Amino acid sequence: MKRRSSHFSCVNTVPVNTYDIVKVNIQLANIADLDAVNTVYTQYFPGYLPARTVIGVSELPAGALVQMDAVMSNAESTPPQV
């Protein structure tokens, strides 16, 4: 699996950081890639691991191997001010 450097580009556009990520959903076109995903996941979250769900799917849009979405919280019950 190739690693892209822009994974957190949307996170960097608002005043939050990766510690505000509380849940990650990951879809894998090949569930055999789970070990590689675990390696990368722990590199992005070295201090803690947010909750996550990983599922294997038969196909992803545009031939992607991995699709991810994340839930973030700024712990203040208010949306980030942009």
Side-chain angles (χ1 to χ4, degrees):
M1 297 179 68
K2 288 185 179 179
R3 187 170 151 187
R4 293 190 180 172
S5 60
S6 61
H7 291 305
F8 291 113
S9 60
C10 63
V11 174
N12 296 329
T13 63
V14 292
V16 294
N17 60 53
T18 57
Y19 288 102
D20 294 323
I21 296 175
V22 294
K23 173 82 166 55
V24 178
N25 298 306
I26 304 171
Q27 297 84 41
L28 297 175
N30 184 349
I31 198 69
D33 290 334
L34 184 57
D35 286 339
V37 168
N38 287 336
T39 298
V40 173
Y41 196 76
T42 57
Q43 291 172 359
Y44 275 101
F45 302 103
Y48 83 110
L49 296 174
R52 71 175 182 171
T53 300
V54 179
I55 59 170
V57 296
S58 61
E59 188 176 5
L60 289 168
L65 299 176
V66 178
Q67 180 170 298
M68 299 174 70
D69 63 87
V71 176
M72 300 181 73
S73 172
N74 65 356
E76 296 174 3
S77 301
T78 58
Q81 303 298 313
V82 180

